[in-house]
Amino acid sequence: MRDHPHADEGPQPDVWTGRATNRVQWVLALAGAACLALGIELAVDSAWNSGVAALAMSVVGCIAAGLLVIFGTLAFVHVDLRLDRECLEVRCGHMGLPRRRIPLSAVAGADFAALVTPRQWGGWGYRWRPEMGTAVVVRRGEGIVLRLWDGHTFTITVDNAESAVRVIRDRLRTITPGPAR
């Protein structure tokens, strides 16, 4: 585990924030941009002699694939975690989507996971596996595993996860358990 300058046992902040980033996904976004540029180039300056239908399918295919790759990767370049007195909120990417808000009253417990990998979850992104629960995985490394009262688990990769687990556990002592809203 990495050293964290504010991972001490001091007083807990009113709002705890954390983040995890994956710079490798920028490379994938560049590949999507290249595919998008190819589609635009085909549409603007094409000497295609095979027919209009083939050209249209190539242009639409390249543009659609490029946009899908760009938005799919940029949505999971980073994850932001915000923990206040009432809930935990997870936001992905620059637009904050997908987003999940979990009331602390729906959390039964929190555990520190020293190593969460995309391989465990089937890749990067917002993941669900029946035997493991739901996760937001943007990089390999430490994470938080929330155990919810409904029997599900929710895992988030975030820097300084051990500190976040301490804050969650501290706040759970003062929360009355209840169903997820």
Side-chain angles (χ1 to χ4, degrees):
M1 188 174 111
R2 297 176 223 128
D3 279 336
H4 297 290
H6 53 282
D8 59 353
E9 294 289 336
Q12 305 296 345
D14 285 339
V15 176
W16 188 95
T17 58
R19 179 177 221 182
T21 302
N22 185 347
R23 290 181 178 86
V24 173
Q25 289 190 328
W26 284 105
V27 175
L28 296 173
L30 287 175
C35 193
L36 181 65
L38 176 62
I40 293 169
E41 172 65 23
L42 284 173
V44 172
D45 188 33
S46 179
W48 200 293
N49 296 326
S50 303
V52 176
L55 175 61
M57 289 187 331
S58 298
V59 169
V60 169
C62 285
I63 290 174
L67 289 173
L68 182 64
V69 170
I70 288 171
F71 290 121
T73 56
L74 291 182
F76 295 102
V77 167
H78 68 266
V79 63
D80 289 316
L81 178 68
R82 183 180 187 278
L83 173 64
D84 61 25
R85 297 270 176 210
E86 298 174 0
C87 73
L88 178 137
E89 186 174 53
V90 179
R91 293 177 173 221
C92 301
H94 297 290
M95 294 176 52
L97 297 172
R99 173 184 319 176
R100 178 145 185 208
R101 183 179 163 97
I102 303 171
L104 289 178
S105 61
V107 177
D111 298 309
F112 171 74
L115 182 62
V116 177
T117 66
R119 177 179 280 178
Q120 292 169 327
W121 289 94
W124 290 316
Y126 200 103
R127 299 296 186 180
W128 175 76
R129 294 193 56 188
E131 71 278 5
M132 296 175 69
T134 307
V136 176
V137 180
V138 296
R139 54 109 174 104
R140 172 189 178 110
E142 61 187 309
I144 302 166
V145 180
L146 297 176
R147 288 176 280 109
L148 306 178
W149 284 112
D150 63 5
H152 294 99
T153 61
F154 187 69
T155 304
I156 311 120
T157 56
V158 65
D159 293 335
N160 202 8
E162 200 166 17
S163 173
V165 168
R166 275 196 304 274
V167 172
I168 293 168
R169 287 177 178 169
D170 184 53
R171 297 211 173 136
L172 288 178
R173 290 186 195 111
T174 63
I175 299 287
T176 304
R181 294 178 235 161

